């Protein structure tokens, strides 16, 4: 008997055909059987491996939705609004998705309609792990959406939109999530690069929100790719058109804020019996470009009001908001009664912690008045908001916490602008009406004065308005192979542009900052500076010849 073959007496019944072939079939048939079985095993293994690999590499995309992937537990990338990122954003992203769908359908069905895509890039983490608060993120998206709805001429989105006029130029808004610790920036940049040649082409990026070394790197990458950028709430002067050609900004930069405080202090020094004498309290976190730059601007512009010594701390930016302790710093400040001011160069989250330490210590200057803390923010700082009731500023009671310090801030927004009949920048009333009309149906939307206080709705409304205008100028010229590159060539043709903050001008010699923006000076004791600083259309060294180079 051939080796490896069984006699028929060894077989068990009932028999399958494959068992008969394997046991007593001819050699050729048994070889074919073995090959077939090996092929089945191999295909099964391949299928299992493919399933595992697909799960590892495909699952991050499947769980997040169109254009997104999961990195470090967050869905990052560029999306059309069909994914909400956070449950509290769903009411707003669903409206954005509806607007984008309408724009796509109109552009596809009508030859006289041109559509363009603007992308807003920020962190959409509302759980507190990002440097921005939930309020700031929501209001930023809201302001951007409202501005483009207005540009499109669309009506309330609850039941669709109006048909646009002949020859219309309309816009989509896509949302780019960089992640709470900016872990998705590479994926976002890749996505943006791929959009410049889409049927609805990318024209401008609005962003980013927080100024770090990563922000600077992304600005340079987009510049190298020929994609223009309107900086939103990034205020560091290191984000500019010199380092990243093709970038202009919507918000004031740190130099604007420092110059506004200098102007305020100079005017106060003419009448105050005790001019400001303060120390610089600076965040030395190397990853926080914003704070480092703000400290430099304070040193440069506020030198006449600074004492020689300064204090530093390690801020929380980029460390998921780790608490910073200021007790020893408050003690040191209070040990020097000759100092009546502190110039705080850091983020608002750390400022709140510092103010609580100062409040508990309760120190005063030689004159017996509370220490004055100077800082900057786009809207009202949390400790400033507590001094307001609605739109009216109420002086603090004698026994209240406000007695322990006085907070003065340079801002891009003044709550008095909301009061009926009060002075406000040209265009602000139209902005306020557009916001309250477009999103009034949602309880989460801007509906009461306090909802405007963060300033982010206004800044991003302005940014989207500027981005839309730059897009139209670039489209009219069409002097490059892509719309984005053409827009980049014509950013400085945006002049006297009506926004919610007035008419803004962009001049190349100003490195991308906007001229014509108002910067009010607000105080927690309600002594608001009635004459807001206005950003000039000339370089600052022409106004302050004493500035250090």
């Amino acid at each position: 008997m051939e080796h490896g073959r069984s006699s028929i007496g060894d077989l068990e019944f009932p028999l399958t055909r494959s068992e008969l072939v394997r046991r007593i079939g001819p050699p050729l048939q048994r070889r074919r059987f073995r090959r077939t079985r090996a092929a089945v095993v191999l295909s099964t293994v391949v299928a299992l491996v493919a399933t595992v690999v697909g799960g590892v590499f495909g699952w991050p995309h499947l769980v997040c939705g169109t254009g997104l992937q999961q990195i470090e537990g967050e869905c990052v990338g560029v999306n059309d609004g069909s994914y909400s990122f956070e449950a509290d954003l769903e009411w707003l992203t669903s409206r954005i998705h509806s607007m984008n769908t309408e724009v796509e359908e109109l552009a596809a069905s009508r030859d006289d309609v041109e559509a363009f895509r603007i992308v807003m890039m920020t962190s959409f983490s509302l759980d507190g792990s990002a440097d921005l608060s939930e309020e700031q993120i929501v209001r930023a998206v809201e302001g951007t959406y409202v501005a483009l709805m207005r540009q499109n001429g669309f009506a309330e989105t609850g039941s669709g939109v109006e048909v646009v006029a002949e020859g219309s130029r309309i816009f989509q808004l896509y949302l780019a999530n960089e992640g709470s610790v900016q872990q998705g920036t590479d994926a976002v940049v890749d996505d943006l690069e791929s959009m410049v040649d889409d049927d609805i082409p990318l024209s401008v990026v609005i962003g980013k929100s927080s100024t770090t070394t990563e922000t600077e790197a992304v600005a340079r990458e987009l510049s190298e790719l020929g994609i223009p950028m309107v900086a939103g709430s990034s205020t560091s002067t290191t984000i500019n058109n010199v380092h990243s050609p093709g970038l202009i900004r919507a918000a004031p930069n740190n130099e604007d804020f420092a110059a506004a405080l200098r102007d305020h202090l100079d005017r106060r020094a003419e009448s105050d019996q005790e001019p400001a004498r303060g120390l610089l309290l600076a965040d030395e976190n190397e990853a926080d470009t914003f704070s480092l730059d703000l400290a430099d601007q304070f040193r440069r512009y506020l030198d006449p009001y600074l004492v020689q010594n300064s204090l530093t701390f390690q801020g929380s930016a980029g460390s998921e908001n780790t608490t910073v302790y200021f007790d020893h710093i408050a003690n040191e400040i209070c040990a020097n009664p000759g100092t009546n001011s502190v110039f705080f160069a850091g983020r608002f989250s750390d400022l709140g912690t510092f103010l609580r330490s100062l409040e508990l210590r309760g120190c005063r200057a030689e004159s017996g008045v509370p220490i004055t803390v100077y800082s900057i923010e786009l809207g009202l700082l949390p400790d400033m908001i507590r001094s307001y009731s609605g739109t009216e500023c109420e002086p603090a009671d004698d026994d209240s916490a406000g007695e322990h310090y006085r907070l003065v801030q340079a801002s891009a927004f003044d709550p008095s602008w909301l009061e009926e009949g009060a002075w406000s920048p040209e265009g602000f009333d139209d902005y306020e009406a557009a916001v309250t009309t477009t999103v009034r149906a949602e309880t989460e939307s801007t509906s009461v004065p306090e909802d405007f206080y963060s300033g982010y709705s206004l800044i991003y409304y302005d940014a989207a308005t500027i981005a839309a205008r730059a897009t139209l100028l670039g489209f009219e010229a069409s002097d490059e192979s892509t719309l984005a590159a053409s827009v980049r060539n014509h950013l400085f043709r945006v002049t006297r542009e009506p926004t919610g903050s007035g008419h803004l001008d962009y001049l190349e010699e100003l490195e991308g900052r906007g001229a014509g923006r108002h910067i009010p000076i607000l105080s927690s004791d309600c002594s608001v500076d009635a004459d807001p600083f206005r950003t000039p259309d000339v370089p600052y060294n022409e106004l302050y010849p004493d500035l250090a180079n």
Side-chain angles (χ1 to χ4, degrees):
M1 180 181 294
E2 184 181 336
H3 180 70
R5 299 183 66 181
S6 303
S7 67
I8 194 167
D10 296 331
L11 298 178
E12 297 182 2
F13 294 88
L15 296 173
T16 63
R17 182 175 180 276
S18 61
E19 182 68 10
L20 279 171
V21 170
R22 188 177 71 83
R23 290 295 191 95
I24 61 175
L28 179 60
Q29 195 171 15
R30 284 190 294 116
R31 283 197 298 272
R32 288 174 178 171
F33 171 77
R34 286 196 298 270
R35 291 184 189 126
T36 301
R37 185 173 60 178
V40 170
V41 171
L42 179 61
S43 62
T44 303
V45 171
V46 170
L48 288 173
V49 170
T51 301
V52 172
V53 171
V56 171
F57 295 99
W59 178 251
H61 295 273
L62 294 175
V63 299
C64 293
T66 304
L68 303 174
Q69 57 182 296
Q70 193 175 67
I71 300 178
E72 296 183 22
E74 296 182 49
C75 292
V76 300
V78 186
N79 185 258
D80 60 358
S82 57
Y83 183 80
S84 65
F85 298 109
E86 297 277 355
D88 291 342
L89 274 173
E90 186 172 359
W91 70 273
L92 190 49
T93 54
S94 65
R95 288 184 166 208
I96 291 171
H97 185 240
S98 296
M99 179 182 75
N100 290 338
T101 301
E102 293 284 351
V103 168
E104 184 176 7
E105 291 175 354
L106 284 166
S109 60
R110 290 177 48 179
D111 294 336
D112 64 333
V113 171
E114 295 287 345
F116 317 106
R117 182 174 302 156
I118 291 174
V119 175
M120 176 185 171
M121 183 178 184
T122 187
S123 167
F124 289 96
S125 173
L126 305 189
D127 61 4
S129 57
D131 291 327
L132 298 186
S133 69
E134 175 181 346
E135 173 75 9
Q136 291 169 328
I137 294 171
V138 171
R139 299 308 170 207
V141 179
E142 194 175 78
T144 307
Y145 161 69
V146 169
L148 294 186
M149 281 288 289
R150 193 174 187 210
Q151 291 287 328
N152 289 343
F154 287 0
E156 181 77 19
T157 58
S159 57
V161 300
E162 293 178 348
V163 175
V164 299
E166 292 184 6
S168 289
R169 309 290 183 253
I170 55 179
F171 297 87
Q172 288 185 323
L173 171 59
Y174 274 44
L175 304 176
N177 184 24
E178 61 181 344
S180 59
V181 291
Q182 300 180 308
Q183 71 270 30
T185 51
D186 288 343
V188 168
V189 171
D190 289 343
D191 291 344
L192 295 175
E193 183 180 9
S194 69
M195 290 182 178
V196 296
D197 291 317
D198 281 356
D199 291 338
I200 298 179
L202 168 67
S203 63
V204 183
V205 173
I206 297 173
K208 298 166 49 179
S209 54
S210 182
T211 311
T212 64
T213 52
E214 182 68 26
T215 310
E216 294 176 311
V218 170
R220 288 192 297 269
E221 284 186 69
L222 293 180
S223 176
E224 291 168 1
L225 293 171
I227 299 173
M229 186 174 182
V230 177
S233 51
S234 297
T235 64
S236 173
T237 61
T238 61
I239 308 293
N240 59 46
N241 191 66
V242 174
H243 295 151
S244 302
L247 182 147
I248 58 177
R249 65 174 63 255
N253 65 14
N254 289 344
E255 186 177 27
D256 294 329
F257 283 127
L261 286 174
R262 167 69 180 268
D263 178 75
H264 168 76
L265 290 168
D266 285 351
R267 286 187 283 112
R268 290 289 299 267
E270 296 175 359
S271 58
D272 285 0
Q273 293 182 349
E274 185 184 10
R277 290 187 68 255
L279 58 81
L280 177 66
L281 178 55
D283 182 355
E284 60 178 359
N285 183 350
E286 293 183 357
D288 188 1
T289 306
F290 159 77
S291 296
L292 295 175
D293 177 70
L294 182 59
D296 288 341
Q297 300 305 324
F298 277 0
R299 291 187 188 98
R300 187 174 184 224
Y301 281 82
L302 306 181
D303 179 69
Y305 303 97
L306 292 175
V307 297
Q308 287 187 347
N309 60 311
S310 61
L311 299 174
T312 61
F313 65 96
Q314 191 74 21
S316 61
S319 57
E320 298 189 2
N321 295 329
T322 300
T323 302
V324 181
Y325 295 97
F326 290 95
D327 293 345
H328 65 292
I329 290 177
N331 289 336
E332 189 166 346
I333 292 171
C334 294
N336 183 4
T339 300
N340 60 22
S341 305
V342 176
F343 297 95
F344 187 89
R347 294 188 180 270
F348 79 93
S349 54
D350 293 328
L351 174 62
T353 308
F354 168 64
L355 292 176
R356 285 190 290 276
S357 295
L358 204 60
E359 178 182 322
L360 291 173
R361 187 67 170 79
C363 57
R364 294 169 179 266
E366 286 178 333
S367 61
V369 299
I371 295 290
T372 299
V373 179
Y374 293 90
S375 187
I376 68 109
E377 181 56 45
L378 295 181
L380 289 183
L381 290 158
D383 285 73
M384 190 75 74
I385 292 174
R386 287 198 286 271
S387 299
Y388 288 84
S389 176
T391 59
E392 296 180 0
C393 182
E394 295 182 346
D397 297 332
D398 291 340
D399 59 349
S400 72
E403 277 273 297
H404 296 291
Y405 60 81
R406 177 171 174 257
L407 179 60
V408 174
Q409 69 160 107
S411 175
F413 165 80
D414 186 338
S416 69
W417 296 346
L418 296 164
E419 297 177 10
E420 188 174 352
W423 179 90
S424 62
E426 188 176 356
F428 183 84
D429 291 342
D430 290 339
Y431 148 75
E432 182 187 358
V435 170
T436 53
T437 300
T438 303
V439 296
R440 66 175 181 267
E442 300 291 341
T443 57
E444 301 93 337
S445 68
T446 303
S447 55
V448 296
E450 288 85 348
D451 290 336
F452 289 89
Y453 281 5
S454 75
Y456 274 67
S457 172
L458 175 61
I459 289 299
Y460 278 84
Y461 175 93
D462 292 351
T465 302
I466 293 164
R469 179 60 179 158
T471 297
L472 297 179
L473 291 170
F475 175 72
E476 291 168 1
S478 296
D479 53 0
E480 295 286 348
S481 59
T482 67
L483 172 64
S486 182
V487 171
R488 172 178 157 153
N489 284 348
H490 298 277
L491 290 175
F492 294 107
R493 288 178 58 202
V494 179
T495 57
R496 299 290 298 163
E497 183 62 23
T499 68
S501 302
H503 287 83
L504 301 186
D505 282 316
Y506 289 91
L507 306 172
E508 193 163 2
E509 58 267 31
L510 301 183
E511 301 182 355
R513 73 171 174 85
R517 177 173 288 284
H518 298 278
I519 301 180
I521 305 297
L522 311 177
S523 174
S524 60
D525 64 3
C526 297
S527 57
V528 180
D529 195 324
D531 186 16
F533 180 82
R534 191 168 184 268
T535 53
D537 57 4
V538 296
Y540 280 111
N541 56 14
E542 296 183 19
L543 301 179
Y544 298 102
D546 65 323
L547 294 180
N549 292 327

